[in-house]
Amino acid sequence: MSKTKTTVTITVNGDVYRLGVGNSAGDISPADTLAETLRERLLLTGTKISCDDGACGCCTVILNGKAVPSCTILTVECDGADIQTIEGFQNPRTGELDEVQQAFVDHSAFQCGYCTPGIIMASEALLQENPHPDEEEIKEALAGNYCRCISHYQVLEAVKQAAERRK
């Protein structure tokens, strides 16, 4: 009796990936987190792994429209999911940044930059759900993101600017 190979199909930044699950060469492990798969298998290294416990927000991606810490989700749980990473927001033809990315540049809303992709992803998810958030709503949406460099004031201004540009 032959064993049927298990696969997981995910769409990342519009590209469909069918990943084998198991112990064979090229397979992902059933224990691989989405963050590990994005970085190590798909080579999308904009998603950062820091605390590896879901507390810092560095690995935030948009999964089926919601901002989630990708270090707390197994890839096998994402079968059929639509995932957006930081690499998916820049215009592939022109290289132009989207409104949130450009607002972060305009307001120097980053310092070392390690946490920035996760904060941008959380900001994008907020603006997709609520295009015109007030300051308290922005703070609430970004509460799961931690920046050691203390650039939070610039981040608030950047998200406000991005919301204004999308009107």
Side-chain angles (χ1 to χ4, degrees), residues 142-155:
L142 300 181
N145 296 86
Y146 179 68
C147 173
R148 293 175 184 248
C149 302
I150 315 300
S151 64
H152 294 291
Y153 299 110
Q154 293 92 332
V155 167

Side-chain angles (χ1 to χ4, degrees), residues 60-120:
T60 300
V61 298
I62 299 175
L63 175 70
N64 296 328
K66 299 290 181 193
V68 298
S70 61
C71 72
T72 64
I73 300 167
L74 297 176
T75 305
V76 295
E77 296 174 306
C78 297
D79 191 34
D82 182 43
I83 301 159
Q84 293 176 295
T85 70
I86 192 72
E87 290 90 350
F89 286 102
Q90 185 173 351
N91 186 310
R93 291 186 322 268
T94 66
E96 185 176 322
L97 301 177
D98 89 327
E99 294 93 351
V100 174
Q101 291 171 315
Q102 187 59 56
F104 271 63
V105 172
D106 293 348
H107 288 275
S108 300
F110 54 87
Q111 287 184 25
C112 80
Y114 198 83
C115 66
T116 305
I119 295 173
I120 288 175

Side-chain angles (χ1 to χ4, degrees), residues 6 13 34 36 44 51 64 99 108 114 156:
T6 302
N13 302 326
L34 179 58
E36 292 168 329
L44 297 171
C51 72
N64 296 328
E99 294 93 351
S108 300
Y114 198 83
L156 290 174

Side-chain angles (χ1 to χ4, degrees), residues 121-144:
M121 297 308 297
S123 299
E124 288 281 359
L126 167 65
L127 294 176
Q128 286 175 13
E129 185 177 314
N130 177 2
H132 309 294
D134 62 29
E135 188 167 310
E136 287 307 310
E137 291 168 321
I138 295 169
K139 288 178 181 179
E140 178 68 27
L142 300 181

